[in-house]
Amino acid sequence: MEFSGRLSAFPIGDLLQWAHNDQRTGALVIRRAGREKRIYFQDGEVVSCYSSEAAEFFGQHLLVGGLIDELALVKALTFCQKDGKRLGVALNALGILSPEVVLDALRRQIQDLVCDIFLWPHGIFYFEAELPPREELLPEALSSVALALEGARWLDELARIRRVFVHDNIVLGPGKHFPGERLSPLESRIVKGMRDQIALGDLYQLVRGSYFRFLQAAFGLAVREVLDVKGVGETPKSASREIHLADLLVEQAAEEQVLFFRNHLAFSLDLLDEFFPVWVKDLREDEILPLSERARELVLAIDGETSLGELVEGSRPERAWRLELIAELLRKGVLALLPMAASELMKSAGRAAATGAPGWWARLAKAASR
């Protein structure tokens, strides 16, 4: 981690400007409770962005933008799963979208992913020397400075919207001109999701995509009286406190972790190369599918017989990226490290059973019962 800190001290606009001025190449990782985004820079300009939020995946962006329907998305994702291709490649191969349309949509999605971070009041960030494979990067980068200016405009627009949509518990319903005319694809999705009464936050869960774009479109429909504010629910104080507390805990934990590894590392991380990652809980298919091609390749290579050193071998940036992914799986509790290959561990258990000595499983059961 070359540079890390809190968004409250270093706003995302300043970080984009910093990356541009220093002509940085690598990944700016921004995290808050339960969410992560990675902005990838090439010589200071943005060439990709990843979000861990399923509502912001590229497929959802295409749906919200009206470029594909649910049937086409399912067909393309099935193709991706079968042939290991990226979604954009699959859409082109199936004749659903041209490469030009896919690229234009990807550029707009990356802009939205970056600018949505401007709406995060809390979070931590760090920078690392990592880039995805060349085929996952934009052929022409987006200007970091232009994105910073656009994100600042989003903040101003959000403040205007929040004067009416004061929080996510306001209750919306059909307005005088419902269902409206000449609707954009996003507006059509909002109208389709309407009920006699529905909270703003619940409506977003039906629409998905960029949260700011959703607010902007819903607000526009309210101005045109297609939607109407039926009531103002209670301010989600408890939820806000929980979110803010979680954000602060993430920030504190990240800061303490950085300080610990900088000042108190008592052993080499190379020692862990001799351990063997093994699945404690299998990942579901819908958890594997959204991963990038190289992430899927790494996940599928974890078999309990391949050492950590073999799994993460490669250049320094590649090793750092692979270690980061495995560390995240360990933090989620779906992965564990064994001192030897799973097959060898089972052989050891068999030998212990033959001699009547307590095996490792017995010691584990004893420890778990304490």
Side-chain angles (χ1 to χ4, degrees):
M1 296 184 191
E2 300 178 24
F3 177 41
S4 61
R6 304 184 181 192
L7 287 179
S8 55
F10 297 93
I12 183 62
D14 293 349
L15 294 174
L16 290 169
Q17 188 71 52
W18 163 79
H20 171 78
N21 292 341
D22 283 15
Q23 296 188 323
R24 288 282 173 165
T25 295
L28 179 65
V29 184
I30 305 101
R31 288 178 174 170
R32 61 180 296 182
R35 297 185 65 186
E36 175 182 296
K37 290 194 180 184
R38 290 172 176 262
I39 306 174
Y40 295 101
F41 296 92
Q42 182 80 55
D43 298 326
E45 308 296 3
V46 175
V47 288
S48 186
C49 187
Y50 159 82
S51 171
S52 65
E53 192 76 7
E56 296 180 322
F57 286 174
F58 188 47
Q60 290 295 324
H61 176 79
L62 295 173
L63 281 176
V64 171
L67 294 174
I68 59 174
D69 57 21
E70 282 81 359
L71 185 62
L73 179 58
V74 170
K75 184 178 179 181
L77 289 176
T78 303
F79 184 93
C80 292
Q81 184 179 13
K82 180 181 177 181
D83 290 14
K85 301 294 185 181
R86 290 174 290 116
L87 179 57
V89 175
L91 290 167
N92 179 39
L94 294 169
I96 298 173
L97 293 177
S98 69
E100 294 77 17
V101 172
V102 170
L103 179 58
D104 183 61
L106 186 59
R107 291 175 66 86
R108 285 186 279 111
Q109 186 218 14
I110 290 173
Q111 174 182 293
D112 286 357
L113 289 176
V114 173
C115 289
D116 264 317
I117 302 173
F118 280 76
L119 312 186
W120 292 17
H122 301 283
I124 60 102
F125 69 86
Y126 58 87
F127 189 86
E128 59 184 21
E130 172 205 340
L131 275 181
R134 181 69 247 178
E135 61 269 18
E136 296 183 18
L137 305 180
L138 291 174
E140 294 183 15
L142 300 175
S143 167
S144 297
V145 174
L147 286 172
L149 292 173
E150 179 65 9
R153 187 188 69 79
W154 281 31
L155 273 179
D156 292 340
E157 179 72 5
L158 179 66
R160 186 174 72 91
I161 293 172
R162 283 303 190 191
R163 285 198 286 268
V164 178
F165 290 177
V166 291
H167 51 64
D168 284 357
N169 276 353
I170 69 161
V171 179
L172 296 176
K176 182 168 61 176
H177 301 307
F178 187 86
E181 299 177 349
R182 296 187 295 277
L183 302 179
S184 69
L186 175 53
E187 289 172 337
S188 295
R189 287 180 68 87
I190 292 173
V191 168
K192 183 179 178 181
M194 278 304 301
R195 307 289 185 269
D196 288 339
Q197 291 193 350
I198 186 170
L200 181 65
D202 293 337
L203 181 58
Y204 171 69
Q205 295 304 318
L206 299 175
V207 177
R208 315 188 86 184
S210 161
Y211 182 64
F212 173 80
R213 297 289 189 194
F214 160 77
L215 282 179
Q216 191 179 44
F219 181 75
L221 290 171
V223 170
R224 286 149 49 195
E225 298 185 90
V226 176
L227 303 183
D228 188 24
V229 177
K230 301 295 184 180
V232 180
E234 293 185 6
T235 304
K237 293 181 180 178
S238 58
S240 296
R241 287 172 183 160
E242 289 173 6
I243 292 171
H244 292 164
L245 176 60
D247 291 344
L248 291 172
L249 288 175
V250 169
E251 293 174 358
Q252 182 179 355
E255 188 171 280
E256 290 175 352
Q257 184 182 48
V258 171
L259 291 174
F260 176 83
F261 279 104
R262 283 178 179 168
N263 302 320
H264 302 288
L265 190 60
F267 63 94
S268 171
L269 287 176
D270 292 340
L271 294 177
L272 295 179
D273 284 353
E274 303 303 319
F275 283 73
F276 292 78
V278 62
W279 294 107
V280 175
K281 174 185 174 185
D282 290 334
L283 290 182
R284 300 189 309 274
E285 189 173 309
D286 63 337
E287 293 176 304
I288 297 176
L289 194 58
L291 298 174
S292 67
E293 185 175 348
R294 67 171 179 161
R296 283 197 300 270
E297 181 182 348
L298 176 58
V299 165
L300 295 174
I302 299 173
D303 56 6
E305 301 297 315
T306 308
S307 70
L308 181 63
E310 293 176 273
L311 288 168
V312 303
E313 67 181 355
S315 64
R316 185 175 176 182
E318 181 67 16
R319 177 179 168 86
W321 174 83
R322 288 172 174 261
L323 278 171
E324 173 69 18
L325 177 56
I326 290 175
E328 181 64 25
L329 294 171
L330 288 168
R331 283 192 291 269
K332 288 181 176 179
V334 298
L335 204 64
L337 294 179
L338 298 179
M340 62 182 73
S343 59
E344 289 299 317
L345 202 56
M346 295 307 295
K347 289 178 183 177
S348 173
R351 290 192 294 268
T355 62
W360 58 266
W361 68 90
R363 292 190 293 273
L364 181 63
K366 181 179 179 181
S369 64
R370 289 175 183 169

